[in-house]
Amino acid sequence: MAETTEFELVSPEKLLISQPAEMVVVPGTEGDFGALPRHSPMITGVRPGVIDIYENGKVEKRIFVAGGFAEVNETRITVLAEEAIPLAELTGEFVIARIRAAEADVAAATTDHAKREAARRLAVAQAMHTAID
Amino acid sequence: MPSLKDLRLRINSVKSTRKITSAMKMVAASKLRRAQTAAEQGRPYAARMERMLSALAAGMAGQSGAPRLMVGTGKDQTHLLIAVTGDRGLCGGFNSSIARATRQTAQALIAEGKTVKILTVGRKGRDALRRDFGSLIADGWEGIGKKGVTFAETDQIADKVLAMFEEGAFDVCTVIYNRFQSVISQVVTRQTLIPLSVPAAEEQKDASGAIYEFEPSEEAILADLLPRNLSVQLFRALLESNASEQGARMTAMDNATRNAGDMLNKLTVKYNRSRQAQITKELIEIISGAEAL
């Protein structure tokens, strides 16, 4: 068994995953990065995308996250996600419904703030679509 | 002296009240359990976010150009109070203590010559504050947490707060809510959300030796993280408040059920006594009638 690091995925509602992993690939705002054990301490933003958890040399879990933050240090990787769904549970219809709803919101938004918010939701939904393709 | 029929009606009505209150108590107890688990599950996120924030804040300390959400606008002229109450009554002092605390805070601030704005979460809070501060209430929400508090619901409140802050509508934001201590005690808590108070002492031991790298940059991450943190803090306040409400209702309904039981006992004694008295009276009448013949 190779060296592992403690991986935690937390949403505001609860602690979703807490498990050892060999490597975790996180979609950072500046590009995807793989975090191995004894990674140098780092805090980064996470864009909407898929987190891959590696165990025994292969991908063990794939989870879609709707953006958030990641904290990496020598012994653990913590991802704070706004929303997290295992990739296997994402269905085409669900994603398309999300895109439709987000597009409607973008069209209906009147204030600057609402527009930004709706655009963000649309980006999340589109990232979901890319993820399942 | 109430007649026997009156007493009987009274007993029946107290009985049905007792049934209702004990049912409400049971409902509150099961909701409380759910609310408590939700509050506990929300803790890891808040704790980790706090850890990240303190690491960031440590790096930013002493630098100029820190985001306004963290350091504030540098003034404290306009205060925004967020009063978190429930939508429904029958939960003891839960709603009224929040209303009272908000009223006191607002009056103290006004007396100092500051401007006060109020946001209310929950119907009861709005109703209680509308009479005195109707013109100060900027917005209000109802029906939050009906099926358990969700993060999405909280986000709309946080969005509104952020939008107001960006417009420069207030300088300091305080949330007033009931913190869940135990089923019988809820503590009215005032928490300042903007400017943010970072637990400085804690990060010292946690960040021992670990100097974080930031991607893209500290400022950019902070700019993202701070609004999230606001939502998370609000979310936590709502979860606590929800658990408190159920706890308060459970205690209140438990008391009500017990009081109804006591009353029922007294009424039953009274009913039996007057029934007995009436029988005795009738007997005396019959006997004295027979003797007179």
Side-chain angles (χ1 to χ4, degrees), chain B residues 181-247:
Chain B
Q181 201 162 46
S182 72
V183 178
I184 45 165
S185 96
Q186 295 83 33
V187 190
V188 176
T189 312
R190 293 178 183 78
Q191 191 188 355
T192 314
L193 294 180
I194 304 170
L196 180 73
S197 47
V198 179
E202 221 176 307
E203 63 53 40
Q204 290 302 342
K205 62 174 174 354
D206 193 65
S208 54
I211 293 147
Y212 284 93
E213 256 177 67
F214 299 98
E215 252 185 50
S217 67
E218 275 170 273
E219 288 84 4
I221 291 184
L222 261 184
D224 264 0
L225 197 60
L226 287 170
R228 298 295 306 165
N229 185 54
L230 184 79
S231 311
V232 169
Q233 297 294 342
L234 264 178
F235 184 55
R236 187 148 75 159
L238 288 187
L239 284 174
E240 291 273 348
S241 168
N242 193 25
S244 301
E245 182 185 348
Q246 302 309 340

Side-chain angles (χ1 to χ4, degrees), chain B residues 107-171:
Chain B
Q107 269 154 2
L109 286 169
I110 291 169
E112 283 172 37
K114 313 246 197 262
T115 321
V116 175
K117 288 176 186 175
I118 299 176
L119 291 178
T120 58
V121 180
R123 188 160 57 86
K124 286 285 162 188
R126 197 201 56 203
D127 291 352
L129 294 168
R130 194 161 45 185
R131 198 155 38 101
D132 297 351
F133 303 108
S135 56
L136 302 178
I137 296 181
D139 207 344
W141 289 269
E142 278 178 34
I144 299 270
K146 216 173 227 170
K147 298 186 209 90
V149 185
T150 64
F151 193 67
E153 282 176 332
T154 320
D155 235 11
Q156 37 170 336
I157 302 175
D159 275 351
K160 172 76 184 172
V161 174
L162 286 173
M164 282 176 79
F165 188 69
E166 276 169 27
E167 286 163 18
F170 65 89
D171 303 308

